[in-house]
Each structure stands twice: as structure tokens, then as C-alpha cells.
Amino acid sequence: MGRWEPDARDRLVRAALDLFDEQGYENTAVAQIAERAGLTKSTYFRHFRDKREVLFGGQDELVELLVAGIAGTPESAGPLAAVEGALVAIAVTFTEERRANGPRRLAVIAANDELRERDAMKMAGFSSVMQEALRRRGVPELDAAVAVELGVVALRVAYGRWLEAGGDFAEVARRALDEVRIVAAALEGAE
Amino acid sequence: MGRWEPDARDRLVRAALDLFDEQGYENTAVAQIAERAGLTKSTYFRHFRDKREVLFGGQDELVELLVAGIAGTPESAGPLAAVEGALVAIAVTFTEERRANGPRRLAVIAANDELRERDAMKMAGFSSVMQEALRRRGVPELDAAVAVELGVVALRVAYGRWLEAGGDFAEVARRALDEVRIVAAALEGAE
């Protein structure tokens, strides 16, 4: 078990989702997840900080990609184009494996208050990281907040469509953000 | 203590914030909060479900007001005008007492992961309740999501300004939403 396990992470996620299905999230211990995956508990903790992280892992990588996507957009581009760069940058993480696990993962989270809070916090974290990246490009605070929250709406829409129909996530995200932008531009205020 | 305590809720919030300041959120028990407020533990639990709710209480009332604010906007009004109705409807809860406690409350939440997750979840809950209320008026899903998230940006901006400078929250919120709408309308997409 001490040897390198190239697909340890995926195996742990699959084992965890199987066990959460069979006996519930609350009734499953990290040791059981590791055992089901044919790995040790210490391998588990090399990949995930605690039990719930098996559902939220890869967050640091996503944050890095979002920030790099914004930084990689030409300085002349507006904040929404930079947000599009961020969404396109994370497309590499939207693998078939992730898509296959998606619906079960969402079902486990939806059924547990603590996990739903963790999920809300994760999205809030992405949002604040992207806003900071835009502020560093000189985008005014309110513009950054608006562009990022529209990006988050597009991300949610794109994720749902991609889970359902698959395809290239970058393309799905681009289309969703474009629809969001058109809707936002057409909104009327009160008289 | 069995008698009616007209300001029990405010006293409990103030006592809790004092104790969280003095000894930290983690080191404070509900019994201590009640004692400091000169009330019983059972009075505490009539007002708040658990320790952290003393920081998030009044959420049900806010949800009712947000929904009523949307329902009370003329059917002919667009989704953003309905969201404005929601923000104006919650203005009654933005009292001087709440403003005085605001900065300490935010500091306690910011210092604790569990509380930050709870806070993110609370905002996500407001967002989903408003989106449902718009959907019931026949607003398409994407339009509802965009209008509500812009409303949430405006709510955050308005809350910060109101904590700093006071004033009529309804007016502060209206102005913030108007600025958000103008920024959103001006955002350019990628080429």
C-alpha cells in the first residue's frame, strides 16, 4: 500500500459515494472508505483533510485555475471577459469521471445540512477569489462583484447542463455566460 | 424569569457578543449567555435554536419579508423591480440596535469557519427563496437567477454602507441596486 497509487484519488471518491449511498454519509467512517478503495487511511489523508473533503476535494486546484484564467486574459479585456477566462480555465477539471459521479455527489450534499453549508462556503470562496483577482487588474469593486456573481450564475447553469448532456465544459460555460450577459443587459430597474 | 421579557432577544444578542468578545465564540456556552443577559436557558431556547443562531436569528422573518416584498410588487414589474421590492421589505429589520451590533457580529463570524459556512448558507438560502418567488410570477429561470444574484450584490453593498453611515436602509438599498443595474447593463462580453 505504501507504493504510489496513480488513481487513488478517484478510487477513494468512488468508494466514498458507494458507501454514502449504501449506509448514509453520517454512518460512514474514513477507515471504511479507505478499506473499500483497497487503500490505507493514511493514503486517504494524503488526498483529503477529512471525511467531507472527499466530496469537495480539488478546491485548491480550482482556485489556482480560476485565478490563472483571469490573469491570462488580456489586460484590455473587460471584467466579464476575464471571468469567462476563469470558467474556461477550470474546464480541464470537468472530466468524464467527475461527470459520472456528479449526480450522486449532489444528492449526498443536498441531504445533509453541514455539507450544504460547506458547499455554499465553497462557492462563496470561489467568488471572493475571483473578485480579488479582478481588483488586482484595477477593476472597480462593484464591477468586480457584478461580473463575478454573473459568472457564478453561468457556472451553475453550465454545470447542470454539462452533467445532463456532457460535451466540452469550456464551450458549455461560454454559451451560458453569454446568455447570462444578455439577460443582465436587458433587466429593467424600477420606475 | 417566567414573565414576559419584551427585550429578551436584544439582551441575549448583546450578552452573546460581549462574551464572544471577552472569551471567544468557542469558549462560550448558552448557559453563560443567558446568565449574562439575566435570563434563563429556556428563554434563550425560545428565541434561538442553538448557540450560533444568536448570530443568525431572525432568518425566518427575513425570508417572509423577502417573499412578501416580491409578491407585493405589481405583476407588470420586471424581475429586478420585484427584487427591489424584496430589499425594501426587509428594511424594517435594519434597526439601530442591529446596526450597533453589526461590526462585532461580522468580526465573530469572520473568525470562525463554521460560522462563515453558516453565513454563506444563509445568503444562499435567501437567494433560492427569492428565485422561487420570481419563478412563481412566471419569470424564466435564468432571468430569476440573474436578477436575484444582482440583488444579493446590492444587498451586500447596501449593508456595508448602512453599517458605516446609517440612514434609511430602504433608500440605501434602492441606490445600491440602481448602481448594480447600471454596471450590469454596461458589461461587455468576450469577442
Side-chain angles (χ1 to χ4, degrees):
Chain A
M1 294 291 176
R3 69 201 157 77
W4 184 57
E5 299 280 356
D7 59 348
R9 191 182 182 89
D10 285 346
R11 278 161 60 189
L12 288 165
V13 171
R14 274 196 304 267
L17 289 171
D18 286 346
L19 287 164
F20 297 163
D21 263 357
E22 290 163 24
Q23 59 191 38
Y25 172 80
E26 288 82 358
N27 303 322
T28 302
V30 163
Q32 289 177 293
I33 299 172
E35 193 192 339
R36 176 71 65 99
L39 297 165
T40 61
K41 227 172 120 172
S42 67
T43 300
Y44 181 96
F45 285 117
R46 268 203 301 281
H47 289 277
F48 305 106
R49 199 176 49 216
D50 55 27
K51 184 171 78 173
R52 64 185 191 169
E53 283 307 297
V54 75
L55 293 162
F56 296 104
Q59 198 174 342
D60 292 350
E61 185 196 359
L62 277 179
V63 162
E64 275 172 38
L65 290 169
L66 289 168
V67 170
I70 288 175
T73 309
E75 286 291 333
S76 60
L80 206 60
V83 167
E84 182 175 312
L87 299 191
V88 167
I90 61 173
V92 291
T93 70
F94 288 77
T95 60
E96 269 310 307
E97 171 83 20
R98 185 162 170 202
R99 185 165 164 248
N101 294 330
R104 287 204 296 166
R105 183 182 161 273
L106 290 181
V108 174
I109 293 171
N112 180 293
D113 277 352
E114 187 204 330
L115 295 175
R116 287 169 55 224
E117 293 184 1
R118 179 75 186 72
D119 194 45
M121 181 67 195
K122 189 185 78 168
M123 292 304 285
F126 290 158
S127 174
S128 103
V129 156
M130 285 193 278
Q131 286 186 47
E132 281 163 35
L134 288 178
R135 299 281 289 121
R136 281 197 296 275
R137 288 162 69 92
V139 175
E141 199 166 338
L142 191 61
D143 299 57
V146 168
V148 165
E149 293 309 325
L150 293 178
V152 169
V153 172
L155 176 57
R156 282 210 196 90
V157 168
Y159 183 60
R161 289 178 184 171
W162 175 79
L163 277 188
E164 202 167 315
D168 172 12
F169 186 80
E171 209 34 67
V172 178
R174 268 199 204 97
R175 261 203 312 275
L177 189 61
D178 215 45
E179 290 171 40
V180 164
R181 185 181 57 77
I182 290 164
V183 165
L187 285 175
E188 297 282 338
E191 298 303 290
Chain B
M1 293 289 179
R3 69 199 157 78
W4 186 56
E5 300 280 355
D7 58 349
R9 192 181 184 90
D10 286 345
R11 279 160 59 189
L12 288 165
V13 172
R14 275 196 304 268
L17 289 171
D18 286 346
L19 287 163
F20 297 163
D21 264 356
E22 290 163 25
Q23 59 190 39
Y25 172 79
E26 288 82 356
N27 303 320
T28 302
V30 163
Q32 289 177 293
I33 299 172
E35 193 193 339
R36 177 70 66 99
L39 297 164
T40 61
K41 227 171 121 174
S42 67
T43 300
Y44 181 96
F45 285 116
R46 268 204 300 282
H47 289 277
F48 305 107
R49 198 176 50 216
D50 55 27
K51 184 172 79 172
R52 64 184 191 169
E53 282 307 297
V54 74
L55 293 162
F56 297 103
Q59 196 172 345
D60 293 348
E61 185 196 358
L62 276 179
V63 162
E64 275 173 37
L65 289 169
L66 288 167
V67 170
I70 287 175
T73 309
E75 286 290 334
S76 60
L80 206 60
V83 167
E84 182 174 313
L87 299 190
V88 168
I90 60 173
V92 290
T93 70
F94 288 77
T95 60
E96 270 308 307
E97 172 82 20
R98 185 161 170 203
R99 186 166 163 248
N101 293 330
R104 287 204 296 167
R105 183 181 160 273
L106 290 180
V108 174
I109 293 171
N112 180 294
D113 277 352
E114 188 204 328
L115 295 175
R116 286 167 57 223
E117 292 184 1
R118 179 73 187 71
D119 194 45
M121 181 68 194
K122 189 185 78 168
M123 291 305 285
F126 290 159
S127 175
S128 103
V129 156
M130 284 193 279
Q131 286 186 47
E132 281 163 35
L134 288 177
R135 300 279 291 118
R136 281 196 296 274
R137 289 161 70 92
V139 175
E141 198 166 340
L142 191 62
D143 298 57
V146 168
V148 165
E149 294 309 325
L150 293 179
V152 169
V153 171
L155 175 57
R156 281 210 196 90
V157 168
Y159 183 60
R161 290 179 183 171
W162 174 79
L163 277 188
E164 202 167 316
D168 173 13
F169 185 80
E171 208 35 65
V172 178
R174 266 198 205 97
R175 261 203 312 276
L177 190 60
D178 216 46
E179 290 171 41
V180 164
R181 184 180 58 76
I182 290 166
V183 165
L187 284 174
E188 297 282 337
E191 298 302 290

